[in-house]
Amino acid sequence: MKILDQNRAPLFEAMREYHRKNVVPFDVPGHKHGIGIPEMVDYFGRTMLELDVNAMKCLDNICNPIGVIKEAEDLAAKAYGADNAFFLVNGTTSGVQAMIMSICNPGDKIILPRNAHKSAITALILSGAVPVYIQPEINEELGIAMGVSLKSVKEAIEKHHDAKAIFIINPTYYGAVSDLKAIVEMAHKYEMAVLVDEAHGAHMKFHNELPMEAMDVGADMCAVSTHKTGGSLTQSSLLLLREGFVDAKKVKTTLNLTQTTSASYLLMGSIDIARKQLATKGKEMLDNVLNLVRWARCEINKIEGLYAFGKELVGTIGVYDFDETKLGVNVRNLGLTGFEVYDILRDEYNIQVELGDMYNILAIVSLGDTKESLGALIEALKSISVKYKRDKKITLKKSILKNPEVIVSPRDAYYSRKKIVKFEDAAGEVSGESIMAYPPGIPVVALGERITKEMIEYVNEMKKKESLLQGTEDPYVNYIKVLGV
C-alpha cells in the first residue's frame, strides 16, 4: 500500500510524464496536441493543448479509477478527513445530484432549506425525491437568508421522521454557517443521512479560524467546489463521503449515470494540484487571506453608507459561525441597490464582484487576492459613495423566502402536461418551471410549487433591476409554463 504523501500530485505528475514523452497521438481529442487548432495554441499556449488528452492506461479513467486518479482521490480524501473522494468535472452540481440520487429513491422525503441551489432541485427531479422545505432564517436588514436554526430542523425531523436525508448548506453564499455538528447528531438519531452542499467551503478545512468542514463534524457526504475557493480550474470539484450511511460503490455507480466518460485532464489535474497546495501551504496562505479580508472589511466600514458584515453576526439567529472570506457589503444606505453597485464597479472601475442583490454586493476573497486588488475595491467603493449616493435608502418588501406550498414533487411537475400563461397572470397556478437569479442560482419559484402574487411581484422587481434570471424557456420571463392543459 502506497503512503499518502500530500506533497505529491500523482495525476498531475503522470500528465507531466506523458507530456515529456512527446507521444504521437492517434486518439481523441481531434486537435492532436493543438496542431489542429493553431489559434488556440497561439493564445493559450502549446503546453495546455498538449495536456488536453483522453483517458489512457497511464493516466487512468474517471469512470473506474484504479491508478493515478484513484491515488489522487485518496490523497484528497485524506486531506479532507473523508473515507472516500471522487473527482468531479461537472462542478458541484454533479456532486449534489449524486448525493441525493444515491440516498433517495422515488417518493422518499428529503429535508432541505428553501434557499438550496438549483442543483438540489434538479436532483429532486432526477431522483424522484419529495422535498420537505425548512425556512432559513432571514436577516431583514441585510435582505438575505442565513442558515437554518436547530429548532426548525428539529421540528422538520420530528414531523417527517421517515425522511431519508437532510440537506444542509455549509456555508451559505454570504458566509453564514448553521450548527452543523448538532444537526448531524440529531439526524443520525433518526437514521437520516446528512448531505452537505459545501460549494463555498473548499478552503475551510485548512485553517482553524474558519468554520468546521462537513467531514469534521460527521456528515455523511459533501460536495466541495475546489474551483470556487480552493484554486482549481472552473468546473472542477470533489465529492467526499464518510462510510456508514453511505455505500461508496453505489455513489460511484450513480456518478457514472450522469458524469462524462471523457473527463478533462486539465480539470482533474488542477484538483490534484489545488489539493496539494491546500494540504501543504493552506494554513499559511489562508493566514494571508484572513488578514487581507479583515483589513478590507475594516476599511469599507469607514465609508459612509456602507456596511461590510462579518463575524459580529455570529450568535444571531441562523448564524452559528461565519466564513470571513465572504466579503458581503450592504449598500442600501447609499440609496443604491446591489445590482446598481455591481454594474458601476464593472463598467466604471473595471472590478468584477461575485454578485449583486437588492441590498448587497458580494466579493469572494481567496488565495489569489492581494492588498492591491482589495485596495482597488476599497477605493472604488469610496468613490461610489461620494459620486452616486442618494438621500433615500433602499427599502423593499420583506423577503418572500417563506416556505412555499408544494403541490406535486419536482419530478412529477417536470413530467406533467403543461400550458403557457403570462407570468403576470400565474398566481394560483402550479409552476412547471423554476425561476432563479444567477448567481447565486437559488430558486424564487421551483417546479411543483404554487405561484403566489408575492413571487410575481418579487420577480418583476428583479426584472426591473436587470437581474440575470434563469429557468424558464422564455428568456425574458414574460411567460411561464404551469401544470394543466
Side-chain angles (χ1 to χ4, degrees):
M1 181 177 178
K2 287 187 176 181
I3 296 174
L4 294 175
D5 180 359
Q6 295 293 342
N7 289 289
R8 292 197 58 226
L11 176 56
F12 178 60
E13 291 163 12
M15 291 167 63
R16 284 192 307 190
E17 178 61 18
Y18 171 86
H19 183 254
R20 185 190 65 80
K21 289 180 177 178
N22 197 26
V23 172
V24 178
F26 283 101
D27 58 352
V28 296
H31 61 68
K32 302 298 178 75
H33 294 179
I35 295 169
I37 190 161
E39 187 174 357
M40 285 189 71
V41 172
D42 291 344
Y43 194 81
F44 292 111
R46 182 165 300 280
T47 300
M48 190 196 83
L49 274 296
E50 289 173 343
L51 287 173
D52 179 35
V53 294
N54 191 36
M56 60 193 74
K57 191 173 286 187
C58 65
L59 294 181
D60 208 359
N61 190 304
I62 196 172
C63 297
N64 186 34
I66 56 174
V68 289
I69 293 177
K70 182 66 170 68
E71 189 178 349
E73 289 178 338
D74 288 346
L75 279 163
K78 183 179 179 183
Y80 279 93
D83 293 321
N84 297 89
F86 298 95
F87 282 5
L88 305 174
V89 292
N90 193 31
T92 293
T93 290
S94 62
V96 168
Q97 291 171 344
M99 287 195 296
I100 294 176
M101 291 171 68
S102 296
I103 294 293
C104 295
N105 294 324
D108 286 343
K109 294 178 184 176
I110 180 170
I111 298 168
L112 71 165
R114 184 56 183 80
N115 62 328
H117 187 263
K118 72 174 185 176
S119 58
I121 307 301
T122 60
L124 298 178
I125 296 170
L126 292 170
S127 66
V130 178
V132 174
Y133 290 120
I134 49 179
Q135 174 66 12
E137 301 302 325
I138 306 297
N139 185 314
E140 295 291 351
E141 192 64 26
L142 297 177
I144 57 177
M146 297 304 190
V148 292
S149 69
L150 280 177
K151 181 176 180 287
S152 63
V153 173
K154 187 173 187 290
E155 288 173 353
I157 288 176
E158 290 178 347
K159 188 175 180 181
H160 301 276
H161 52 79
D162 55 340
K164 286 291 184 70
I166 181 165
F167 182 89
I168 297 293
I169 305 164
N170 187 57
T172 66
Y173 219 135
Y174 286 96
V177 172
S178 305
D179 189 351
L180 187 57
K181 185 175 182 180
I183 292 170
V184 169
E185 292 171 355
M186 193 184 305
H188 283 173
K189 286 180 182 177
Y190 287 84
E191 297 190 344
M192 294 181 192
V194 180
L195 315 177
V196 182
D197 177 352
E198 213 155 64
H200 290 273
H203 59 299
M204 296 193 311
K205 171 73 177 181
F206 304 98
H207 201 287
N208 59 11
E209 293 178 35
L210 291 168
M212 294 188 77
E213 191 266 341
M215 291 293 103
D216 286 339
V217 298
D220 300 291
M221 279 194 279
C222 71
V224 179
S225 291
T226 51
H227 71 93
K228 284 186 170 73
T229 59
S232 66
L233 294 179
T234 295
Q235 205 173 310
S236 59
S237 294
L238 284 170
L239 179 58
L240 306 170
L241 64 91
R242 180 182 302 283
E243 294 174 0
F245 282 87
V246 180
D247 181 350
K249 291 178 181 178
K250 183 175 182 181
V251 174
K252 185 175 84 167
T253 299
T254 303
L255 277 171
N256 283 337
L257 290 176
T258 57
Q259 184 150 262
T260 179
T261 58
S262 302
S264 165
Y265 278 83
L266 293 171
L267 297 184
M268 291 190 291
S270 77
I271 301 173
D272 203 20
I273 299 168
R275 181 272 315 153
K276 173 186 173 182
Q277 177 173 267
L278 286 168
T280 59
K281 301 177 182 177
K283 170 64 167 60
E284 173 189 343
M285 297 182 78
L286 288 164
D287 274 339
N288 183 56
V289 171
L290 287 170
N291 287 335
L292 285 172
V293 77
R294 287 166 181 168
W295 166 74
R297 193 170 264 114
C298 181
E299 292 301 308
I300 291 169
N301 281 329
K302 296 175 184 176
I303 302 172
E304 184 181 358
L306 298 182
Y307 168 39
F309 49 92
K311 291 279 279 189
E312 72 282 355
L313 296 176
V314 174
T316 60
I317 192 164
V319 188
Y320 177 78
D321 203 348
F322 189 85
D323 175 12
E324 295 177 76
T325 69
K326 308 301 187 291
L327 183 56
V329 183
N330 189 270
V331 300
R332 61 184 299 217
N333 286 326
L334 290 181
L336 301 170
T337 67
F339 297 122
E340 291 174 305
V341 175
Y342 174 99
D343 287 341
I344 294 168
L345 282 169
R346 183 195 60 225
D347 297 341
E348 297 193 25
Y349 297 90
N350 204 31
I351 292 173
Q352 182 65 59
V353 293
E354 176 68 9
L355 64 83
D357 63 25
M358 292 295 189
Y359 286 177
N360 312 283
I361 58 168
L362 176 65
I364 303 294
V365 183
S366 59
L367 306 175
D369 279 298
T370 63
K371 192 159 188 177
E372 288 72 26
S373 65
L374 281 163
L377 175 62
I378 293 164
E379 291 305 312
L381 291 173
K382 286 179 182 177
S383 175
I384 290 169
S385 74
V386 172
K387 189 175 179 182
Y388 290 96
K389 190 177 187 301
R390 300 174 186 142
D391 292 334
K392 189 176 180 181
K393 78 175 182 179
I394 298 293
T395 302
L396 301 168
K397 291 182 178 180
K398 286 192 174 184
S399 171
I400 61 152
L401 277 173
K402 57 188 178 184
N403 282 346
E405 185 184 4
V406 179
I407 307 302
V408 299
S409 72
R411 183 185 183 119
D412 287 345
Y414 181 81
Y415 285 109
S416 292
R417 297 184 70 179
K418 302 176 184 70
K419 61 183 179 181
I420 298 173
V421 300
K422 285 186 176 180
F423 184 61
E424 291 284 350
D425 301 329
E429 302 280 2
V430 178
S431 182
E433 298 181 291
S434 292
I435 302 174
M436 65 211 72
Y438 194 88
I442 296 167
V444 177
V445 181
L447 285 91
E449 295 176 355
R450 181 84 68 194
I451 300 171
T452 65
K453 181 182 177 183
E454 290 76 20
M455 289 176 175
I456 294 170
E457 290 175 350
Y458 190 81
V459 170
N460 284 340
E461 186 69 20
M462 297 175 85
K463 287 166 67 175
K464 288 178 186 175
K465 302 302 181 184
E466 298 185 351
S467 177
L468 298 175
L469 296 174
Q470 294 185 0
T472 53
E473 288 185 4
D474 173 15
Y476 303 105
V477 199
N478 294 322
Y479 294 86
I480 188 170
K481 284 186 171 182
V482 298
L483 271 56
V485 291

